[in-house]
Amino acid sequence: MHIPHKSVVVVADGRKMLFLRNEGDAEYPNLVVETAEEKSNPATRDQATDAAGRASSPQGAARSSVEPTDFHQLEEDRFAAEVTDMLKIRALKNDFESLIIVAPPRTLGEMRKHYHKEVSGRLTAELDKDLTGHPIADIEKALLAA
């Protein structure tokens, strides 16, 4: 994949986000960090106070357990929506012409739900990989190989 000069590359997962800008050219990228953010997101067991409840029918005959809320996943989905909102704000300010998003499949799917038309119109590529914990050089290599 070619990464156009001055393209924005967003590398995100459910709790980390990097905004990178290509200061190199399309064939020899030089990604520079513009913004980095990491949110704390404890496991659901550390966020929930009670076990899942039980529901019964009005006659009291049938009982079933209620699916527990996955607070950890809810927070990851919320963070993906926040990242997408940041992209919308930057797109409306004409901060970038070309956008590449790198995220794990679930995060990428959640982000797609929130794309603004200005973001979609500037989207050059998506890569469904989790590269948030990798060095910039590895991110560049993964993008060039895609």
Short mmCIF file of all heavy atoms in Angstrom, two decimals, residues 82-128:
data_model
loop_
_atom_site.label_atom_id
_atom_site.label_comp_id
_atom_site.label_asym_id
_atom_site.label_seq_id
_atom_site.Cartn_x
_atom_site.Cartn_y
_atom_site.Cartn_z
N GLU A 82 -15.21 7.72 20.08
CA GLU A 82 -14.51 8.98 20.37
C GLU A 82 -13.42 9.25 19.34
O GLU A 82 -13.25 10.38 18.89
CB GLU A 82 -13.88 8.93 21.77
CG GLU A 82 -14.87 9.05 22.90
CD GLU A 82 -14.20 8.89 24.26
OE1 GLU A 82 -12.95 8.99 24.36
OE2 GLU A 82 -14.93 8.66 25.23
N VAL A 83 -12.68 8.20 18.97
CA VAL A 83 -11.62 8.36 17.96
C VAL A 83 -12.24 8.80 16.64
O VAL A 83 -11.74 9.70 15.96
CB VAL A 83 -10.82 7.05 17.79
CG1 VAL A 83 -9.88 7.13 16.60
CG2 VAL A 83 -10.04 6.73 19.06
N THR A 84 -13.35 8.18 16.27
CA THR A 84 -14.04 8.53 15.03
C THR A 84 -14.54 9.96 15.08
O THR A 84 -14.50 10.68 14.07
CB THR A 84 -15.20 7.55 14.76
OG1 THR A 84 -14.68 6.21 14.88
CG2 THR A 84 -15.76 7.73 13.39
N ASP A 85 -14.99 10.40 16.24
CA ASP A 85 -15.43 11.79 16.39
C ASP A 85 -14.26 12.76 16.22
O ASP A 85 -14.41 13.82 15.60
CB ASP A 85 -16.11 11.98 17.75
CG ASP A 85 -16.86 13.30 17.83
OD1 ASP A 85 -17.62 13.60 16.89
OD2 ASP A 85 -16.68 14.02 18.83
N MET A 86 -13.10 12.40 16.74
CA MET A 86 -11.90 13.23 16.54
C MET A 86 -11.57 13.34 15.05
O MET A 86 -11.19 14.41 14.56
CB MET A 86 -10.70 12.63 17.27
CG MET A 86 -10.73 12.77 18.75
SD MET A 86 -9.21 12.03 19.41
CE MET A 86 -9.77 11.52 21.01
N LEU A 87 -11.71 12.22 14.34
CA LEU A 87 -11.47 12.24 12.90
C LEU A 87 -12.44 13.17 12.18
O LEU A 87 -12.06 13.90 11.27
CB LEU A 87 -11.58 10.83 12.32
CG LEU A 87 -10.45 9.87 12.65
CD1 LEU A 87 -10.80 8.46 12.22
CD2 LEU A 87 -9.17 10.33 11.98
N LYS A 88 -13.69 13.14 12.60
CA LYS A 88 -14.70 14.02 11.98
C LYS A 88 -14.32 15.48 12.18
O LYS A 88 -14.35 16.27 11.22
CB LYS A 88 -16.08 13.75 12.59
CG LYS A 88 -17.15 14.68 12.04
CD LYS A 88 -18.48 14.44 12.71
CE LYS A 88 -18.56 15.28 13.95
NZ LYS A 88 -19.88 15.32 14.57
N ILE A 89 -13.94 15.84 13.39
CA ILE A 89 -13.57 17.23 13.68
C ILE A 89 -12.38 17.65 12.82
O ILE A 89 -12.38 18.73 12.22
CB ILE A 89 -13.26 17.39 15.18
CG1 ILE A 89 -14.55 17.25 15.99
CG2 ILE A 89 -12.58 18.73 15.46
CD1 ILE A 89 -14.34 17.07 17.48
N ARG A 90 -11.38 16.79 12.71
CA ARG A 90 -10.20 17.13 11.91
C ARG A 90 -10.53 17.18 10.42
O ARG A 90 -10.00 18.02 9.70
CB ARG A 90 -9.08 16.13 12.19
CG ARG A 90 -8.51 16.32 13.61
CD ARG A 90 -7.42 15.37 13.93
NE ARG A 90 -6.22 15.71 13.17
CZ ARG A 90 -5.03 15.22 13.44
NH1 ARG A 90 -4.86 14.37 14.43
NH2 ARG A 90 -3.98 15.55 12.71
N ALA A 91 -11.41 16.29 9.97
CA ALA A 91 -11.80 16.30 8.55
C ALA A 91 -12.56 17.58 8.22
O ALA A 91 -12.35 18.18 7.16
CB ALA A 91 -12.65 15.07 8.22
N LEU A 92 -13.44 18.01 9.11
CA LEU A 92 -14.21 19.24 8.87
C LEU A 92 -13.32 20.48 8.87
O LEU A 92 -13.66 21.50 8.27
CB LEU A 92 -15.33 19.38 9.90
CG LEU A 92 -16.46 18.34 9.76
CD1 LEU A 92 -17.42 18.43 10.95
CD2 LEU A 92 -17.20 18.52 8.45
N LYS A 93 -12.16 20.39 9.52
CA LYS A 93 -11.19 21.49 9.53
C LYS A 93 -10.21 21.36 8.36
O LYS A 93 -9.25 22.12 8.28
CB LYS A 93 -10.40 21.50 10.84
CG LYS A 93 -11.22 21.90 12.04
CD LYS A 93 -10.35 21.87 13.28
CE LYS A 93 -11.13 22.28 14.51
NZ LYS A 93 -10.30 22.22 15.73
N ASN A 94 -10.42 20.38 7.48
CA ASN A 94 -9.53 20.10 6.36
C ASN A 94 -8.09 19.86 6.81
O ASN A 94 -7.14 20.31 6.17
CB ASN A 94 -9.58 21.22 5.32
CG ASN A 94 -10.86 21.20 4.55
OD1 ASN A 94 -11.34 20.13 4.16
ND2 ASN A 94 -11.45 22.36 4.34
N ASP A 95 -7.94 19.14 7.90
CA ASP A 95 -6.62 18.85 8.45
C ASP A 95 -5.88 17.78 7.65
O ASP A 95 -4.67 17.67 7.73
CB ASP A 95 -6.78 18.39 9.91
CG ASP A 95 -5.46 18.19 10.60
OD1 ASP A 95 -4.57 19.03 10.41
OD2 ASP A 95 -5.32 17.19 11.32
N PHE A 96 -6.61 16.99 6.87
CA PHE A 96 -5.98 15.95 6.07
C PHE A 96 -6.81 15.68 4.82
O PHE A 96 -8.01 15.91 4.81
CB PHE A 96 -5.78 14.66 6.87
CG PHE A 96 -7.05 14.08 7.43
CD1 PHE A 96 -7.83 13.19 6.70
CD2 PHE A 96 -7.47 14.41 8.71
CE1 PHE A 96 -8.99 12.65 7.21
CE2 PHE A 96 -8.63 13.88 9.24
CZ PHE A 96 -9.40 13.00 8.48
N GLU A 97 -6.12 15.20 3.79
CA GLU A 97 -6.79 14.83 2.54
C GLU A 97 -6.92 13.32 2.42
O GLU A 97 -7.83 12.83 1.76
CB GLU A 97 -6.00 15.37 1.34
CG GLU A 97 -6.02 16.88 1.24
CD GLU A 97 -7.42 17.44 1.05
OE1 GLU A 97 -8.20 16.86 0.27
OE2 GLU A 97 -7.74 18.45 1.69
N SER A 98 -5.96 12.61 3.01
CA SER A 98 -5.93 11.15 2.90
C SER A 98 -5.83 10.55 4.30
O SER A 98 -5.07 11.02 5.13
CB SER A 98 -4.70 10.75 2.07
OG SER A 98 -4.54 9.36 2.06
N LEU A 99 -6.62 9.49 4.52
CA LEU A 99 -6.69 8.85 5.84
C LEU A 99 -6.55 7.35 5.70
O LEU A 99 -7.18 6.73 4.84
CB LEU A 99 -8.04 9.19 6.50
CG LEU A 99 -8.38 8.46 7.79
CD1 LEU A 99 -7.44 8.89 8.91
CD2 LEU A 99 -9.83 8.74 8.17
N ILE A 100 -5.72 6.77 6.56
CA ILE A 100 -5.58 5.32 6.64
C ILE A 100 -5.85 4.93 8.09
O ILE A 100 -5.30 5.54 9.01
CB ILE A 100 -4.17 4.87 6.22
CG1 ILE A 100 -3.91 5.26 4.77
CG2 ILE A 100 -3.99 3.36 6.42
CD1 ILE A 100 -2.46 5.10 4.33
N ILE A 101 -6.71 3.95 8.28
CA ILE A 101 -7.05 3.50 9.63
C ILE A 101 -6.56 2.06 9.81
O ILE A 101 -6.84 1.20 8.98
CB ILE A 101 -8.56 3.60 9.89
CG1 ILE A 101 -9.00 5.06 9.82
CG2 ILE A 101 -8.91 2.99 11.25
CD1 ILE A 101 -10.46 5.30 10.04
N VAL A 102 -5.85 1.83 10.92
CA VAL A 102 -5.35 0.51 11.28
C VAL A 102 -5.95 0.18 12.64
O VAL A 102 -5.73 0.90 13.61
CB VAL A 102 -3.81 0.49 11.37
CG1 VAL A 102 -3.31 -0.89 11.73
CG2 VAL A 102 -3.18 1.00 10.09
N ALA A 103 -6.73 -0.90 12.69
CA ALA A 103 -7.38 -1.30 13.94
C ALA A 103 -7.75 -2.77 13.88
O ALA A 103 -7.94 -3.32 12.79
CB ALA A 103 -8.62 -0.44 14.18
N PRO A 104 -7.88 -3.41 15.05
CA PRO A 104 -8.36 -4.79 15.05
C PRO A 104 -9.77 -4.86 14.46
O PRO A 104 -10.50 -3.86 14.48
CB PRO A 104 -8.38 -5.17 16.54
CG PRO A 104 -7.58 -4.14 17.24
CD PRO A 104 -7.60 -2.92 16.39
N PRO A 105 -10.17 -6.01 13.93
CA PRO A 105 -11.46 -6.11 13.25
C PRO A 105 -12.66 -5.58 14.06
O PRO A 105 -13.49 -4.85 13.52
CB PRO A 105 -11.60 -7.61 12.97
CG PRO A 105 -10.20 -8.09 12.87
CD PRO A 105 -9.41 -7.27 13.85
N ARG A 106 -12.76 -5.93 15.34
CA ARG A 106 -13.91 -5.47 16.13
C ARG A 106 -13.91 -3.95 16.28
O ARG A 106 -14.94 -3.30 16.13
CB ARG A 106 -13.94 -6.14 17.49
CG ARG A 106 -15.11 -5.64 18.31
CD ARG A 106 -15.44 -6.51 19.48
NE ARG A 106 -16.51 -5.92 20.23
CZ ARG A 106 -17.76 -6.32 20.20
NH1 ARG A 106 -18.09 -7.35 19.48
NH2 ARG A 106 -18.67 -5.72 20.93
N THR A 107 -12.76 -3.37 16.57
CA THR A 107 -12.66 -1.91 16.71
C THR A 107 -12.94 -1.23 15.38
O THR A 107 -13.66 -0.22 15.33
CB THR A 107 -11.26 -1.52 17.22
OG1 THR A 107 -11.00 -2.20 18.46
CG2 THR A 107 -11.14 -0.02 17.42
N LEU A 108 -12.41 -1.77 14.30
CA LEU A 108 -12.65 -1.21 12.98
C LEU A 108 -14.14 -1.23 12.65
O LEU A 108 -14.69 -0.26 12.14
CB LEU A 108 -11.84 -1.99 11.94
CG LEU A 108 -11.72 -1.40 10.55
CD1 LEU A 108 -11.14 -0.01 10.57
CD2 LEU A 108 -10.86 -2.31 9.68
N GLY A 109 -14.81 -2.33 12.98
CA GLY A 109 -16.25 -2.42 12.74
C GLY A 109 -17.02 -1.38 13.54
O GLY A 109 -17.97 -0.76 13.03
N GLU A 110 -16.62 -1.16 14.77
CA GLU A 110 -17.29 -0.16 15.61
C GLU A 110 -17.03 1.24 15.06
O GLU A 110 -17.92 2.08 15.03
CB GLU A 110 -16.80 -0.28 17.05
CG GLU A 110 -17.56 0.58 18.03
CD GLU A 110 -19.04 0.25 18.14
OE1 GLU A 110 -19.43 -0.92 17.96
OE2 GLU A 110 -19.82 1.20 18.40
N MET A 111 -15.82 1.50 14.61
CA MET A 111 -15.50 2.82 14.05
C MET A 111 -16.33 3.09 12.79
O MET A 111 -16.82 4.20 12.60
CB MET A 111 -14.00 2.92 13.75
CG MET A 111 -13.14 2.97 15.00
SD MET A 111 -11.37 2.96 14.66
CE MET A 111 -11.15 4.63 14.06
N ARG A 112 -16.49 2.07 11.95
CA ARG A 112 -17.25 2.23 10.71
C ARG A 112 -18.69 2.69 10.98
O ARG A 112 -19.26 3.41 10.17
CB ARG A 112 -17.28 0.92 9.93
CG ARG A 112 -15.99 0.60 9.24
CD ARG A 112 -16.07 -0.75 8.57
NE ARG A 112 -14.81 -1.09 7.93
CZ ARG A 112 -14.39 -2.34 7.77
NH1 ARG A 112 -15.13 -3.36 8.16
NH2 ARG A 112 -13.24 -2.56 7.19
N LYS A 113 -19.25 2.27 12.09
CA LYS A 113 -20.61 2.67 12.44
C LYS A 113 -20.72 4.19 12.63
O LYS A 113 -21.80 4.75 12.52
CB LYS A 113 -21.07 2.00 13.73
CG LYS A 113 -21.25 0.53 13.67
CD LYS A 113 -21.66 0.02 15.05
CE LYS A 113 -21.62 -1.47 15.15
NZ LYS A 113 -21.94 -1.92 16.52
N HIS A 114 -19.60 4.83 12.94
CA HIS A 114 -19.62 6.25 13.31
C HIS A 114 -18.93 7.16 12.30
O HIS A 114 -18.78 8.36 12.56
CB HIS A 114 -18.95 6.42 14.69
CG HIS A 114 -19.61 5.62 15.76
ND1 HIS A 114 -20.77 6.01 16.37
CD2 HIS A 114 -19.27 4.44 16.31
CE1 HIS A 114 -21.12 5.11 17.26
NE2 HIS A 114 -20.22 4.14 17.25
N TYR A 115 -18.49 6.62 11.15
CA TYR A 115 -17.83 7.46 10.15
C TYR A 115 -18.77 8.56 9.67
O TYR A 115 -19.90 8.32 9.26
CB TYR A 115 -17.41 6.66 8.92
CG TYR A 115 -16.20 5.78 9.07
CD1 TYR A 115 -15.91 4.84 8.08
CD2 TYR A 115 -15.35 5.86 10.14
CE1 TYR A 115 -14.80 4.01 8.18
CE2 TYR A 115 -14.24 5.04 10.25
CZ TYR A 115 -13.98 4.12 9.28
OH TYR A 115 -12.88 3.31 9.37
N HIS A 116 -18.29 9.79 9.68
CA HIS A 116 -18.98 10.92 9.08
C HIS A 116 -18.66 10.90 7.59
O HIS A 116 -17.63 10.36 7.17
CB HIS A 116 -18.46 12.21 9.73
CG HIS A 116 -19.16 13.45 9.31
ND1 HIS A 116 -18.76 14.16 8.21
CD2 HIS A 116 -20.24 14.09 9.82
CE1 HIS A 116 -19.56 15.21 8.07
NE2 HIS A 116 -20.46 15.19 9.04
N LYS A 117 -19.51 11.49 6.78
CA LYS A 117 -19.27 11.46 5.32
C LYS A 117 -17.96 12.13 4.95
O LYS A 117 -17.31 11.73 3.98
CB LYS A 117 -20.44 12.07 4.55
CG LYS A 117 -20.63 13.55 4.75
CD LYS A 117 -21.78 14.07 3.93
CE LYS A 117 -21.90 15.57 4.12
NZ LYS A 117 -22.94 16.11 3.28
N GLU A 118 -17.53 13.14 5.70
CA GLU A 118 -16.24 13.79 5.42
C GLU A 118 -15.08 12.84 5.71
O GLU A 118 -14.05 12.89 5.04
CB GLU A 118 -16.09 15.07 6.24
CG GLU A 118 -16.96 16.22 5.77
CD GLU A 118 -16.57 16.72 4.39
OE1 GLU A 118 -15.38 16.73 4.05
OE2 GLU A 118 -17.49 17.11 3.64
N VAL A 119 -15.24 12.00 6.71
CA VAL A 119 -14.20 11.00 7.02
C VAL A 119 -14.20 9.93 5.95
O VAL A 119 -13.15 9.57 5.41
CB VAL A 119 -14.43 10.39 8.42
CG1 VAL A 119 -13.47 9.24 8.67
CG2 VAL A 119 -14.28 11.46 9.50
N SER A 120 -15.37 9.41 5.61
CA SER A 120 -15.47 8.37 4.58
C SER A 120 -14.91 8.83 3.25
O SER A 120 -14.27 8.06 2.53
CB SER A 120 -16.93 7.96 4.38
OG SER A 120 -17.43 7.38 5.55
N GLY A 121 -15.14 10.10 2.92
CA GLY A 121 -14.66 10.64 1.65
C GLY A 121 -13.15 10.76 1.57
O GLY A 121 -12.59 10.81 0.49
N ARG A 122 -12.48 10.81 2.69
CA ARG A 122 -11.02 10.95 2.72
C ARG A 122 -10.32 9.63 3.03
O ARG A 122 -9.09 9.56 3.02
CB ARG A 122 -10.63 11.99 3.76
CG ARG A 122 -11.17 13.36 3.43
CD ARG A 122 -11.16 14.26 4.66
NE ARG A 122 -12.01 15.41 4.44
CZ ARG A 122 -11.58 16.63 4.22
NH1 ARG A 122 -10.30 16.87 4.19
NH2 ARG A 122 -12.43 17.61 4.04
N LEU A 123 -11.10 8.60 3.30
CA LEU A 123 -10.55 7.31 3.68
C LEU A 123 -9.88 6.64 2.48
O LEU A 123 -10.53 6.32 1.49
CB LEU A 123 -11.67 6.42 4.24
CG LEU A 123 -11.25 5.15 4.93
CD1 LEU A 123 -10.36 5.42 6.13
CD2 LEU A 123 -12.50 4.39 5.39
N THR A 124 -8.58 6.45 2.57
CA THR A 124 -7.80 5.84 1.51
C THR A 124 -7.75 4.32 1.68
O THR A 124 -7.84 3.58 0.71
CB THR A 124 -6.36 6.39 1.51
OG1 THR A 124 -6.42 7.81 1.38
CG2 THR A 124 -5.54 5.83 0.38
N ALA A 125 -7.58 3.88 2.94
CA ALA A 125 -7.46 2.45 3.20
C ALA A 125 -7.75 2.14 4.66
O ALA A 125 -7.65 3.02 5.53
CB ALA A 125 -6.07 1.96 2.85
N GLU A 126 -8.10 0.88 4.90
CA GLU A 126 -8.26 0.35 6.25
C GLU A 126 -7.44 -0.94 6.32
O GLU A 126 -7.38 -1.69 5.37
CB GLU A 126 -9.72 0.02 6.55
CG GLU A 126 -10.64 1.21 6.56
CD GLU A 126 -12.10 0.79 6.74
OE1 GLU A 126 -12.50 -0.26 6.19
OE2 GLU A 126 -12.82 1.54 7.42
N LEU A 127 -6.83 -1.17 7.46
CA LEU A 127 -6.06 -2.38 7.69
C LEU A 127 -6.54 -2.98 9.00
O LEU A 127 -6.47 -2.33 10.04
CB LEU A 127 -4.57 -2.07 7.74
CG LEU A 127 -3.61 -3.24 7.90
CD1 LEU A 127 -3.75 -4.24 6.74
CD2 LEU A 127 -2.19 -2.74 8.00
N ASP A 128 -7.07 -4.20 8.94
CA ASP A 128 -7.63 -4.82 10.14
C ASP A 128 -6.58 -5.63 10.90
O ASP A 128 -6.55 -6.84 10.89
CB ASP A 128 -8.86 -5.67 9.80
CG ASP A 128 -8.56 -6.80 8.83
OD1 ASP A 128 -7.45 -6.79 8.24
OD2 ASP A 128 -9.40 -7.69 8.68
#
